[in-house]
Amino acid sequence: MKCPICKTSDMIAVYTEQGVEVDYCPDCEGIWLDRGEIFYFTNKPFEIQRELNDAIRQAGDSDRICPKTGRSMQEIKLLKGRLTLDYSPHSGGIWFDKNELKKLLSLHGGRFKLKVDEGTAPSRGITLPVSTALAPLPNLLVRSTMVLVFLYGILTLVLITATLYTPLTPLIALLIGIVVVSLQFIFGPYITDLVLRWFYKMSWIKYDSLPQDLAKFIRKTCTNYSMKAPRMGMINDGAPNAFTYGHTPNNARIVLTQGIIDLLNEDEIEAVVAHEIGHAKHWDMLVMTAAQLVPLVLYYLYRTMISTRKGGDSKGEGPQLAIAIGSYILYIISQYIVLWLSRTREYYADRFAGEATKSPNSLASGLVKIGYGLAGKQSRKERGKKSERKPGLQAVGALGIFDPKSGVGLVTSSISSVTAAKSMGDEVDKQTLKGAMKWDMWNPWAKYYELHSTHPLIANRIIHLSRQSESLGKVPYIRFDARKPESYWDEFFVDVFIRLLPAFAFIGFLAAALASKEMALLGAGISLAGFASIIKTNFSYRARLFPEMAISSLLKKVKVSGVRPVPCTVKGTVIGRGIPGLIWSEDFIMQDETGIIFLDYRQPIPLWDFFFGLLRRGRFDGKEVEVTGWYRRAPIPFLEMKSMKAENEKVRNCYTYFAKYIVGFILIILGFFLMGQPIM
C-alpha cells in the first residue's frame, strides 16, 4: 500500500507494543488502521465508537487517497473538533499522521495506547537466507514401513502379554479389528459414494464436462505416473472443498465443489487436483487404513479387559487392570503416531503437486486463498452470476478444500475457510498474508492443534512449497522474515488455566470429599465449579462491544484462540455451507470485501442446530448479512455467531453463551444445597 502522505512510499507491516500488527510508513511515521483495528488500542471502546459514529455523520471532503481502495477519503473530527483524521468510507480504515497520533495520545489520556515497535518491521528484522537447495523429504516408503512395523510391534507385544496373564484370547480382538477395518476399506468408498449423493448433492461428471485444460492435465499426470484417471464428482456448493477416497490409485475418486470453480484460477485448480492425485499415487488410502487398525484394536482390547475384569476372579484383576491401562496409554500414543504419519504424507502430496505442475507457488496460492480467506473481493455483479448458475456442470474449472468436520474420506487439503480472487487479478497481498501466517508461526496454540491434526499448519506448508519453488530456480511464493515480538506463552498458559479451571475446582473438592466423606466438601466443589464456569464463560464470551471489523484485520490478530476471542461485527455475503453440500449443515461461509470466514452457528441443543440447518439455513444463501459474534482460531479462523441479520429474514440469535451462564448458576445453587445435607 502507498502512503497517503508520501504517495510513493510503500507502507510496511509492523507490530505495536500492544501486540497488534498495523501498516506503517517508515518515512513519515504515519499509521493506517483497518476497519475496527482502532478498538484494539483503547480501554474505552464505547466512547471511541460513539465519537466515531458522530464524526462520520459530519464528515467532510479530503484530498487524500485511501491506500486500500485508491479512492478519496473524508475528513472526520474527534475530541470535539480538536483532532482531524482521514477516514475511508469504502474500507472503514483510518489514517493517522505522526502528529495526529501524538495529539490523540495526549488528548485521550490513558484511554488510548498505540506505540510502534519499529524493530518488528520486515526491512529491519530478520532476513531469511536464500537457498536453492531443496531439503529432501524422508523416504516415504521407509518412513511408512517403519511406522507400521513399530505400531504392529507394539500391538503384538500387548497381545502376547494379554495371552500370558489373562484368560482372554487376544486373537479375537485382533480378528475383530481386522474385520472391521477390512470391511470399512472394502465397502467404505461405495458407502461414501451413496452418502455424498444423498446428503451432499454430489453428482458424477464426465471428463468432457471439465474445462479442457484441466481434463488434459489430469489425464497427462495420471499417464506419467502409470495410473488410471480418477472418477470426478462435483458438489454444487459455494464453499470450496476437494478430497479423494477409494481403494487403490486406479480406482480413486476426486470430489470438487462449485466454490473451487469460482474462487481459484486455472493453475491453482490444477495444483490442488495434483495434490489429490498425489494422495492416490502414494497409496495413502491403504497405508492410513492399515495404520489406523492398531489404535482401533488397542482401544477394543482396553474395553474388553475392563469389562472382563469386572466379572473375573480377584487373582486376575491385577494383571488385567495393568494390561487395560497399558493398552489405553498405547492407544493414545499410537493415535499421535498415526496423525504424525498423516501429516508427513501431506507434505509428500504437496511435493508431488509441485513436481507435477512445475509450479509449487500455484498450490501455495490456492492454500492461501482457501485457508486464510485473503484472495479478496468480488463485485455484486459477479456474485449475482454465481447465484444464477444452474446445478449443471458445464463449466467446472476449479478446486476447493476439504473441511475435516465432514469426515467423508481421506483429507487431501487442510482448511475450511475460503476466498474469492477473480476481481483482484488472483494476487494476494503478501504483507497481509504474513500477518495471517503469524498466528501459525508464533501462537503456541497452533502447535497444539497441529499435534492433534491430520494436516500440517497452512503456514508450514506454504513455506515448504516456497522452498520447492526456489529449488526450481523460481521466485519463492513468500519469505516469512518477520521478527517475533514476544513469546505469547503467557497468554497461552492463561488460556489453558481458564479452560481447565472448572474441572480443577471440581476434582479438587471431589477428592477431598471422598477422602473425608463430607457432603459439605462435595457441595463446595460443585459450587466452586459453578463459579469457575461463570469466570470461564465471561472470559470466553466477552460482550462489552462488538465493533465492525474487516476479515483481513481479524486474521492478523495473533493473541486469539478458542478460549480468547475478539468480539466483532462483520458484514458480507453468505457464499456457501460450512460443510459444502451437506443438506443439514447449519454453519456458513461468509465473504466480505477483504476475504472470507467460517461462521459457526451453535445452539445449546445439537438437535436445534440440525433442524436449523435442514429447514432454515438455506434462506440465507447469497444474501448480504451482518453477523455479530466472537472471532476465534482453533486453528481454523472462525466466527462463533451471537446473532445474524439479513434483509427480509428474522434475526437469528445463538444462545450457547446464555446456556453456559445458566449452567454455572445451577451448579452454584446445587452445591449450596448439597452443603446442607448430612455426611455420606
Side-chain angles (χ1 to χ4, degrees):
M1 298 194 303
K2 299 297 181 183
C3 172
I5 304 300
C6 305
K7 301 190 186 305
T8 58
S9 299
D10 290 328
M11 287 193 286
I12 58 177
V14 299
Y15 258 71
T16 64
E17 293 185 355
Q18 291 73 35
V20 179
E21 183 184 272
V22 297
D23 297 296
Y24 172 74
C25 177
D27 295 328
C28 70
E29 300 183 32
I31 289 178
W32 172 262
L33 298 183
D34 284 326
R35 182 193 304 144
E37 286 184 347
I38 191 173
F39 295 99
Y40 289 144
F41 304 101
T42 179
N43 58 7
K44 299 289 184 180
F46 287 103
E47 292 183 14
I48 291 288
Q49 180 75 78
R50 185 173 61 252
E51 289 187 36
L52 274 177
N53 291 341
D54 293 340
I56 291 171
R57 281 194 293 267
Q58 303 174 38
D61 295 332
S62 171
D63 59 356
R64 292 178 177 175
I65 302 300
C66 172
K68 281 279 188 181
T69 65
R71 303 167 72 174
S72 296
M73 292 196 285
Q74 296 177 338
E75 284 190 352
I76 58 174
K77 297 183 182 296
L78 299 178
L79 302 176
K80 299 180 179 179
R82 290 179 291 173
L83 178 66
T84 301
L85 301 174
D86 294 288
Y87 166 77
S88 172
H90 310 289
S91 69
I94 301 175
W95 171 257
F96 290 85
D97 291 346
K98 177 182 178 180
N99 293 330
E100 292 172 347
L101 182 59
K102 287 183 177 179
K103 192 172 183 180
L104 175 63
L105 294 175
S106 63
L107 293 175
H108 220 285
R111 296 176 295 173
F112 192 90
K113 295 180 179 180
L114 194 164
K115 188 174 182 180
V116 171
D117 180 359
E118 296 186 22
T120 61
S123 60
R124 306 170 192 179
I126 300 171
T127 301
L128 296 179
V130 177
S131 173
T132 58
L134 179 63
L137 292 173
N139 185 281
L140 184 60
L141 177 61
V142 172
R143 174 166 287 194
S144 300
T145 301
M146 290 177 61
V147 169
L148 291 177
V149 168
F150 178 74
L151 288 173
Y152 279 89
I154 290 176
L155 180 60
T156 301
L157 180 62
V158 172
L159 292 174
I160 291 174
T161 304
T163 303
L164 294 175
Y165 293 101
T166 71
L168 175 71
T169 304
L171 181 62
I172 296 176
L174 179 61
L175 289 176
I176 291 175
I178 291 175
V179 169
V180 169
V181 173
S182 298
L183 290 176
Q184 176 185 342
F185 180 72
I186 294 170
F187 296 106
Y190 305 112
I191 295 173
T192 301
D193 291 344
L194 295 176
V195 169
L196 288 173
R197 292 177 62 185
W198 291 347
F199 302 124
Y200 291 81
K201 302 178 183 178
M202 187 268 289
S203 57
W204 299 111
I205 56 176
K206 297 180 179 180
Y207 272 77
D208 56 9
S209 298
L210 290 168
Q212 184 177 357
D213 290 342
L214 179 59
K216 182 179 178 181
F217 171 79
I218 296 173
R219 289 193 175 104
K220 179 182 178 181
T221 302
C222 291
T223 300
N224 291 342
Y225 290 93
S226 303
M227 56 186 289
K228 292 182 180 179
R231 193 178 184 187
M232 303 297 295
M234 170 62 64
I235 296 176
N236 189 48
D237 191 282
N241 197 351
F243 55 94
T244 185
Y245 62 98
H247 300 110
T248 69
N250 289 324
N251 78 339
R253 291 89 152 156
I254 293 179
V255 179
L256 321 176
T257 66
Q258 185 69 41
I260 290 304
I261 301 169
D262 300 326
L263 304 179
L264 301 186
N265 65 33
E266 293 179 3
D267 292 338
E268 293 160 351
I269 294 166
E270 290 181 0
V272 177
V273 172
H275 178 98
E276 315 295 345
I277 294 174
H279 278 295
K281 174 61 181 175
H282 295 152
W283 290 77
D284 283 356
M285 290 83 78
L286 178 61
V287 172
M288 294 310 299
T289 298
Q292 289 164 357
L293 171 62
V294 175
L296 176 67
V297 174
L298 287 171
Y299 184 75
Y300 182 80
L301 188 62
Y302 154 74
R303 293 299 300 269
T304 303
M305 288 293 179
I306 290 294
S307 61
T308 56
R309 189 182 71 86
K310 293 178 181 178
D313 56 50
S314 58
K315 289 184 178 180
E317 283 192 3
Q320 282 188 237
L321 179 60
I323 293 172
I325 294 173
S327 297
Y328 188 78
I329 293 173
L330 291 175
Y331 155 73
I332 298 296
I333 294 173
S334 64
Q335 283 278 54
Y336 283 109
I337 293 173
V338 170
L339 291 173
W340 172 77
L341 178 62
S342 176
R343 292 194 296 271
T344 299
R345 302 185 79 86
E346 283 299 320
Y347 283 122
Y348 272 94
D350 286 348
R351 181 71 59 88
F352 178 93
E355 293 172 352
T357 61
K358 303 295 189 294
S359 178
N361 285 352
S362 295
L363 181 58
S365 177
L367 286 173
V368 168
K369 293 175 180 179
I370 295 165
Y372 287 133
L374 293 177
K377 60 188 177 182
Q378 289 177 301
S379 66
R380 293 176 183 269
K381 183 178 180 181
E382 286 175 312
R383 293 172 186 164
K385 286 182 179 179
K386 283 200 297 181
S387 64
E388 295 166 4
R389 194 177 273 128
K390 295 181 180 180
L393 303 169
Q394 294 85 0
V396 178
L399 258 212
I401 215 149
F402 181 78
D403 180 353
K405 285 187 176 181
S406 58
V408 294
L410 179 67
V411 179
T412 55
S413 286
S414 65
I415 327 303
S416 63
S417 298
V418 209
T419 103
K422 294 184 179 177
S423 64
M424 294 189 70
D426 299 321
E427 285 297 323
V428 173
D429 179 75
K430 297 303 172 62
Q431 289 301 330
T432 305
L433 170 58
K434 288 181 182 180
M437 291 175 67
K438 287 172 182 175
W439 192 90
D440 283 1
M441 303 301 294
W442 294 347
N443 195 307
W445 278 109
K447 297 301 180 186
Y448 169 83
Y449 287 119
E450 184 178 47
L451 184 66
H452 295 81
S453 173
T454 57
H455 288 70
L457 295 168
I458 306 172
N460 291 335
R461 295 175 67 182
I462 293 169
I463 290 172
H464 274 264
L465 289 164
S466 296
R467 290 171 181 166
Q468 187 179 9
S469 286
E470 284 184 303
S471 72
L472 297 175
K474 299 182 178 181
V475 177
Y477 185 73
I478 196 168
R479 284 186 176 279
F480 188 79
D481 54 3
R483 181 175 68 84
K484 188 176 180 180
E486 55 181 298
S487 71
Y488 299 103
W489 281 98
D490 48 352
E491 287 85 7
F492 173 76
F493 287 124
V494 170
D495 288 356
V496 172
F497 176 76
I498 292 294
R499 185 174 181 175
L500 300 177
L501 185 59
F504 285 155
F506 178 72
I507 291 173
F509 274 87
L510 177 62
L514 292 176
S516 63
K517 296 185 179 182
E518 290 284 347
M519 184 65 74
L521 284 176
L522 178 60
I526 294 175
S527 289
L528 190 60
F531 279 115
S533 179
I534 291 175
I535 292 173
K536 177 182 176 181
T537 302
N538 194 54
F539 184 90
S540 297
Y541 290 89
R542 303 171 188 180
R544 291 170 57 198
L545 181 69
F546 296 86
E548 184 180 346
M549 304 192 74
I551 291 173
S552 60
S553 298
L554 294 171
L555 292 173
K556 292 190 293 185
K557 182 71 170 174
V558 178
K559 293 182 179 180
V560 62
S561 67
V563 182
R564 183 186 300 267
V566 176
C568 61
T569 297
V570 179
K571 296 180 180 179
T573 304
V574 173
I575 63 171
R577 291 179 179 267
I579 301 179
L582 183 61
I583 58 177
W584 61 75
S585 173
E586 74 278 10
D587 300 321
F588 302 81
I589 299 294
M590 190 192 79
Q591 176 188 340
D592 74 356
E593 295 298 317
T594 66
I596 67 95
I597 198 165
F598 184 95
L599 301 181
D600 182 20
Y601 177 91
R602 187 183 303 177
Q603 296 288 7
I605 304 173
L607 195 61
W608 192 343
D609 294 345
F610 172 81
F611 281 112
F612 173 78
L614 188 65
L615 304 176
R616 305 290 183 185
R617 188 229 158 276
R619 295 182 177 182
F620 294 90
D621 286 339
K623 289 191 174 182
E624 300 283 336
V625 297
E626 178 182 314
V627 181
T628 297
W630 298 270
Y631 169 69
R632 307 180 189 274
R633 285 191 75 156
I636 301 302
F638 72 97
L639 187 68
E640 182 181 345
M641 293 170 52
K642 178 178 181 288
S643 65
M644 182 168 67
K645 301 177 184 177
E647 187 177 358
N648 299 325
E649 288 292 339
K650 178 183 176 182
V651 176
R652 298 293 172 179
N653 295 300
C654 294
Y655 301 100
T656 298
Y657 69 105
F658 277 136
K660 290 179 180 290
Y661 278 116
I662 292 172
V663 169
F665 283 116
I666 290 175
L667 289 175
I668 293 172
I669 295 171
L670 177 62
F672 277 114
F673 172 77
L674 292 176
M675 289 170 66
Q677 299 304 305
I679 297 175
M680 291 185 288

